[in-house]
Amino acid sequence: MLLAPRLAQFTAVARHEHVTRAALELGMPQPTLSRALVRLEEDLGVALFARHGRTLSLTPAGRAFLASTERALTDLERATESVRADVDPAAGKVAFGFLHTLGSETVPGLIRSFRADHPRVRFQLVQNYGEAMIERLRAGDLDLCLTSPVPDYPDLVARRLDEQKLRLVVPDDHALAGRKRIRLAEAAGELFVTLEPGYGLRRITDALCAEAGFTPRIAFEGEEAETLRGLVAAGLGVALLPPPAVPRPGVAELTVTAPRAVREIGVAWLDGHPDTPPVAAFKKFLLGRRGKLLPR
């Protein structure tokens, strides 16, 4: 850390092999630069330059130090350019996480609408389940995430944006397949296919079944809603799922009349974390979509 401010001074002198010309390039007094070089050599405990009157030449140690210094300055310049590019209001970056079930239709539509007014903003997109995205928010890997249930943690800010009806999905040759509506208690004797523990939809499924008066018997656990639909189509159980992006053959989807089967979708971010201009713009856009986030 003591050396960092003097690396550019050292490389300028090494390039010019002349303190006065290097001082002119750096916009600093020549005596100040000369003293800085001496302090640098004293801190390192090695002579970097051989002095010949007003000119200098690198010692072997100086040449070795210069190669590493130039790489360090190049990396610093690239890092500076990268972070400046990410916060650019017109062309910066938004790291945005969302649930797998929102990836096929909802998120592409959101980004398309947002980029109508912000065409150069870049997105780093991350699909995951809710708790994993919360951890990535806390780690600083994400700026915002769409998740369900809406999280309630003291270190996060979360806003409800919309709700999505859940359906009881059964095989198309199931005894219930001819029904349009069902009370969830009527499925108490069925085998269920669900997402794994830790997924928001799994917590909602367990809670709704408990409200209906039973604990679901789990036949299979998965990581993705459309995989569960495939398992249902294969006759391996029933499932509580949000509507598919496109109809899936082999299943029937029943409206659940009791209890009220919905999942809330919300946006979350780390409390106290300063927003870059592109993140602030996208957050404002999302909050403006309250009640109209999801396709109807």
Side-chain angles (χ1 to χ4, degrees):
M1 294 303 294
L2 291 173
L3 296 176
R6 287 172 277 174
L7 295 183
Q9 298 168 355
F10 165 72
T11 56
V13 174
R15 185 168 58 253
H16 288 286
E17 295 188 336
H18 198 283
V19 176
T20 302
R21 288 196 290 271
L24 286 172
E25 177 188 305
L26 295 169
M28 64 188 300
Q30 180 268 328
T32 302
L33 180 58
S34 295
R35 289 194 296 271
L37 291 178
V38 171
R39 287 197 300 272
L40 177 60
E41 290 177 313
E42 289 174 349
D43 288 341
L44 293 174
V46 64
L48 299 174
F49 295 99
R51 289 156 174 84
H52 315 283
R54 292 179 179 273
T55 63
L56 302 90
S57 61
L58 287 168
T59 64
R63 285 193 295 274
F65 188 62
L66 177 63
S68 296
T69 297
E70 288 178 328
R71 287 195 297 271
L73 289 174
T74 297
D75 288 344
L76 180 59
E77 183 177 359
R78 288 173 178 166
T80 302
E81 291 174 352
S82 176
V83 296
R84 285 176 175 166
D86 287 348
V87 304
D88 185 298
K93 184 182 75 172
V94 179
F96 182 44
F98 53 92
L99 300 170
H100 289 280
T101 50
L102 301 177
S104 61
E105 186 174 359
T106 300
V107 169
L110 286 173
I111 293 175
R112 181 181 62 246
S113 297
F114 175 75
R115 293 191 72 187
D117 294 321
H118 304 81
R120 295 170 55 209
V121 168
R122 296 170 289 120
F123 282 84
Q124 176 189 346
L125 301 177
V126 175
Q127 289 179 273
N128 217 320
Y129 65 96
E131 287 302 316
M133 286 193 294
I134 298 305
E135 291 309 308
R136 294 193 69 168
L137 274 180
R138 289 175 172 143
D141 297 334
L142 292 176
D143 299 308
L144 302 164
C145 71
L146 282 182
T147 188
S148 177
V150 180
D152 182 18
Y153 297 110
D155 59 335
L156 300 181
V157 180
R159 296 289 183 268
R160 179 187 180 279
L161 296 179
D162 214 335
E163 67 178 27
Q164 188 174 45
K165 291 183 179 179
L166 301 178
R167 301 167 174 175
L168 184 69
V169 184
V170 303
D172 62 3
D173 59 355
H174 193 281
L176 297 172
R179 302 270 298 274
K180 292 190 178 297
R181 296 175 178 80
I182 189 171
R183 291 178 297 105
L184 189 57
E186 296 178 73
E190 302 290 337
L191 290 175
F192 276 72
V193 296
T194 72
L195 295 180
E196 294 177 350
Y199 283 71
L201 188 56
R202 170 62 180 272
R203 294 201 302 276
I204 293 169
T205 295
D206 290 345
L208 287 172
C209 290
E211 189 175 348
F214 69 95
T215 298
R217 294 184 298 142
I218 307 300
F220 295 93
E221 296 176 332
E223 298 180 344
E224 205 275 323
E226 286 311 301
T227 300
L228 299 187
R229 264 194 179 80
L231 293 173
V232 172
L236 300 176
V238 303
L240 277 171
L241 296 173
V246 294
R248 173 70 184 254
V251 300
E253 309 215 0
L254 285 60
T255 298
V256 178
T257 58
R260 188 168 182 267
V262 298
R263 66 169 180 171
E264 292 186 335
I265 307 294
V267 59
W269 60 88
L270 197 61
D271 190 19
H273 188 76
D275 291 334
T276 64
V279 171
F282 189 58
K283 180 189 293 184
K284 181 179 179 181
F285 168 81
L286 289 176
L287 294 175
R289 305 283 294 190
R290 284 191 181 99
K292 50 187 178 181
L293 178 78
L294 302 172
R296 300 302 185 205

